[in-house]
Every structure is written in C-alpha cells, then in structure tokens.
C-alpha cells in the first residue's frame, strides 16, 4: 500500500545549537522566501534578498542554512509536517466515512492556510538537489498513503466499496483535487466560500459528479 516506505530525512545543517532559535529563524526564512519565490521565482531570488525579507543579515542566514535550495526544502517539509500533524488527530475515526470527510476538510483547510507554500512547492521543487527532491516525492507518497489507508479502512468497514487499486487512485485524486483550491484560487475564491468548496468537492470525490443522486448507492 502507498506510503509504507520510510524516507530518509534530508538534513539542513545549522551552526546554531539552540533548537527553538533554529525553528524561529527558519520560520522567518520560510515566510520571506515564499513571498519572494511567488513574486520573482526561485532562480531570480537571491539568498541576500531572503535574508533581508526575513529581517536579518546574510551572515545570520548562513548560520541556519547552507544553500538557497535548503530554504525551498524547508518550505516543502513544513507542508508535509502540517498535513501529517492534522490528519494524525483523526486516528480514532479510521474506517469511518465521517473520519474520511474530516480528513479531506482538514487537508483543504491546511491548503487554504498555506496556499502560497503549496504553490511554490509545486512550481519550484524541480530546483531541489536530487537527494532532497527524492525525499519530497516520498513525502508526497506518504501523504497520499494516509488517504489510501482511510479509504481502504472505509471499504473494509463496509462504508464504501473500493478495490485496493481504486483506493490508491482515490487517494491521489483527493490530494490533487484538494490542491485546486490553491492553484485556481484566482477564480474559485470569487465563486465559492471555503466551506462551500470543501462540501461540494467532498461530495464529488466520494459520490462522483452526479453527487447527491448517488449518495444512497454509496454502500
């Protein structure tokens, strides 16, 4: 099943030993870098500009990272950590349709809160070094694996009917369709509230485009 492989974490080296300070400074870096990457793109943004946007000197920046690619990696990793933390709260609802719906809602709410980060991640991950890129792609599969296990659990409990392959494809479908809220925000947010988008997309993901007509046939 997708997501079982444990990825080797890409190490972003720091000369600072204080973990709380590292987290604080890297949060500042991430916020500054995401703003610049969105405005200028990864390749046109310099580490000096990231340091300035984050509010400290270039010398301070290099105490917490080694390369500009390190910052992009931190952006990607922060997304997966946030999604994993939120979905892990639903462990007791595994195998229920209610739990699956809650997971989709939490996932899309995370995208709403981190929409710039999601956009930057998918536009710029090609710029990561090979080892970091492999890690990010594995984390993407792990995120899909969480939804695959939820779908499989619902199927085993009789909540829905899905084969193993259908659960795997359905998981990727949830991942991609949820990210539409970030990638097509220029039009979607003019037409739907976040709640409307989540409710309607969840119906379409679980029951098809016909939606309400098929709800009674889910089991």
């Amino acid at each position: 099943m997708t997501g079982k492989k444990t990825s080797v974490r890409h190490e972003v080296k720091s000369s600072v030993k204080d973990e709380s300070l590292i987290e604080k400074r890297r949060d500042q870096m991430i916020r500054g870098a995401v703003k610049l990457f969105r405005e200028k793109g990864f390749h046109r943004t310099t580490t000096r500009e990231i340091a300035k946007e984050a509010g400290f000197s270039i010398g301070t920046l290099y105490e917490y990272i080694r390369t500009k690619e390190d910052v992009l990696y931190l952006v990607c990793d922060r997304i997966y950590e946030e999604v994993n933390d939120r979905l892990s709260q639903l462990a007791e609802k595994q195998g229920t349709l209610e739990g699956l719906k809650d997971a989709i809602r939490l996932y899309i709410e995370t995208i709403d809160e981190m929409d710039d980060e999601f956009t930057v991640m998918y536009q710029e991950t090609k710029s990561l070094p090979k080892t970091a890129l492999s890690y990010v792609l594995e984390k993407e599969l792990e995120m899909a694996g969480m939804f695959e296990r939820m779908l499989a659990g619902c199927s085993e409990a009789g909540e829905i009917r899905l084969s193993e392959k259908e659960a795997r494809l359905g998981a990727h479908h949830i991942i991609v369709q949820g990210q539409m809220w970030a990638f097509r925000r220029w039009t979607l947010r003019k037409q739907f509230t976040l709640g409307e988008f989540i409710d309607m997309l969840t119906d379409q993901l679980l029951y098809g485009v016909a939606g309400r007509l098929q709800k009674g046939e889910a089991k």
Side-chain angles (χ1 to χ4, degrees):
M1 188 172 289
T2 300
K4 286 188 176 181
K5 183 178 180 181
T6 301
S7 50
V8 178
R9 186 181 182 87
H10 173 76
E11 182 182 5
V12 177
K13 294 182 179 180
S14 171
S15 60
V16 177
K17 303 303 181 185
D18 187 332
E19 291 295 332
S20 62
L21 186 57
I22 291 174
E23 183 175 357
K24 178 182 177 181
R25 292 296 187 225
R26 285 180 174 175
D27 279 343
Q28 291 174 277
M29 277 183 233
I30 288 170
R31 288 195 296 272
V34 165
K35 180 177 182 292
L36 292 168
F37 292 163
R38 285 280 293 156
E39 292 174 355
K40 303 179 62 174
F42 175 81
H43 290 292
R44 293 179 60 196
T45 298
T46 66
T47 50
R48 189 171 298 277
E49 289 172 326
I50 294 172
K52 182 179 179 181
E53 189 68 34
F56 40 75
S57 70
I58 186 68
T60 299
L61 180 130
Y62 280 122
E63 292 178 358
Y64 298 92
I65 63 164
R66 292 293 180 266
T67 67
K68 185 170 64 172
E69 287 78 10
D70 280 347
V71 184
L72 181 55
Y73 164 78
L74 291 171
V75 172
C76 298
D77 202 43
R78 180 63 53 84
I79 289 171
Y80 297 123
E81 287 179 354
E82 190 66 29
V83 172
N84 182 68
D85 287 347
R86 295 193 185 194
L87 295 191
S88 64
Q89 300 170 21
L90 301 173
E92 73 281 0
K93 292 186 176 181
Q94 284 281 359
T96 68
L97 203 56
E98 178 189 1
L100 178 59
K101 290 179 178 179
D102 284 348
I104 294 171
R105 174 179 54 79
L106 285 173
Y107 174 59
I108 298 175
E109 286 176 349
T110 305
I111 292 171
D112 180 61
E113 294 171 21
M114 305 179 74
D115 53 359
D116 283 339
E117 287 91 335
F118 270 91
T119 302
V120 164
M121 180 178 69
Y122 282 102
Q123 287 178 339
E124 306 292 355
T125 47
K126 60 183 180 294
S127 301
L128 286 169
K130 186 176 180 180
T131 54
L133 178 59
S134 295
Y135 173 82
V136 168
L137 294 178
E138 286 175 16
K139 296 297 286 187
E140 177 86 359
L141 291 178
E142 288 178 17
M143 190 163 65
M146 288 188 281
F147 283 106
E148 183 183 337
R149 289 189 291 275
M150 290 179 185
L151 287 165
C154 287
S155 183
E156 290 169 6
E159 293 277 316
I160 55 178
R161 290 199 307 264
L162 288 175
S163 68
E164 184 176 330
K165 282 192 174 181
E166 286 171 334
R168 184 168 301 137
L169 180 59
H172 287 284
H173 199 37
I174 290 170
I175 294 294
V176 173
Q177 293 303 310
Q179 291 165 359
M180 178 169 53
W181 184 246
F183 298 145
R184 298 191 63 81
R185 58 184 167 181
W186 57 273
T187 183
L188 290 176
R189 297 180 194 207
K190 296 175 184 177
Q191 302 176 62
F192 307 98
T193 66
L194 176 61
E196 288 172 339
F197 176 80
I198 291 173
D199 289 344
M200 294 175 70
L201 183 64
T202 300
D203 275 355
Q204 290 191 1
L205 286 167
L206 297 181
Y207 309 110
V209 176
R212 299 180 186 280
L213 294 177
Q214 296 184 16
K215 281 187 177 180
E217 301 173 9
K219 292 188 177 182

